[in-house]
Amino acid sequence: MRALASTAGSGGRIRGPLGWAALLLALLALHTLWLAAADAHSATAKETDGARTHVVEIRQFKYFPATLEVKAGDTITWKNLDAAPHTATAKGWDSGRLNRGQSWTLKVTGKGTIEYICVYHPAMKGKVVVK
Ligand code: CO
């Protein structure tokens, strides 16, 4: 019984300084791989987090802010806080009628300046600058 136990025990043991060196190298390699994976993951997260959501409030027949600067990939939400219905309408997109409390969200793509109005009150003007 004693001999059996001894044989089984030594089978899993690390033998000599070379064994320890090999184990250390293996651990270092794993650590390096783990760091590389963590780096790759955080780079992806930063790109995802880079897209922002902006809010334009519509109140007192005006857009706040009237001029909004965003980056391509960002989203903009227009929210109507007036009792009167409004829209945010540009050449390429249209919120449609927004009653009080309603909102509409647009994902911005190309770069440039987009001017928009409210179709019910064309004096209401806003601008989105995409950089
Ligand atoms: Co309006």
Side-chain angles (χ1 to χ4, degrees):
M1 287 298 280
R2 186 170 290 183
L4 265 180
S6 169
T7 305
S10 70
R13 285 205 186 114
I14 294 158
R15 290 174 198 174
L18 278 178
W20 284 109
L23 179 65
L24 197 63
L25 282 173
L27 283 173
L28 276 172
L30 272 176
H31 187 243
T32 306
L33 282 173
W34 181 76
L35 284 180
D39 268 1
H41 183 260
S42 71
T44 309
K46 272 174 204 157
E47 277 173 24
T48 307
D49 295 344
R52 293 183 53 200
T53 298
H54 309 264
V55 175
V56 176
E57 287 185 0
I58 309 174
R59 47 185 158 88
Q60 295 154 343
F61 291 75
K62 285 175 186 162
Y63 301 104
F64 294 92
T67 299
L68 180 67
E69 220 173 79
V70 305
K71 287 186 175 172
D74 286 1
T75 56
I76 307 169
T77 296
W78 280 265
K79 183 164 189 181
N80 183 15
L81 303 177
D82 274 345
H86 296 294
T87 74
T89 307
K91 276 183 183 165
W93 41 260
D94 182 13
S95 68
R97 179 188 176 114
L98 296 175
N99 291 319
R100 180 180 218 158
Q102 289 186 317
S103 60
W104 178 73
T105 299
L106 170 76
K107 180 161 182 166
V108 180
T109 50
K111 294 183 182 184
T113 298
I114 308 154
E115 294 184 343
Y116 64 92
I117 58 160
C118 169
V119 293
Y120 305 125
H121 318 99
M124 287 176 65
K125 287 176 181 162
K127 201 184 284 184
V128 176
V129 181
V130 189
K131 295 203 164 176

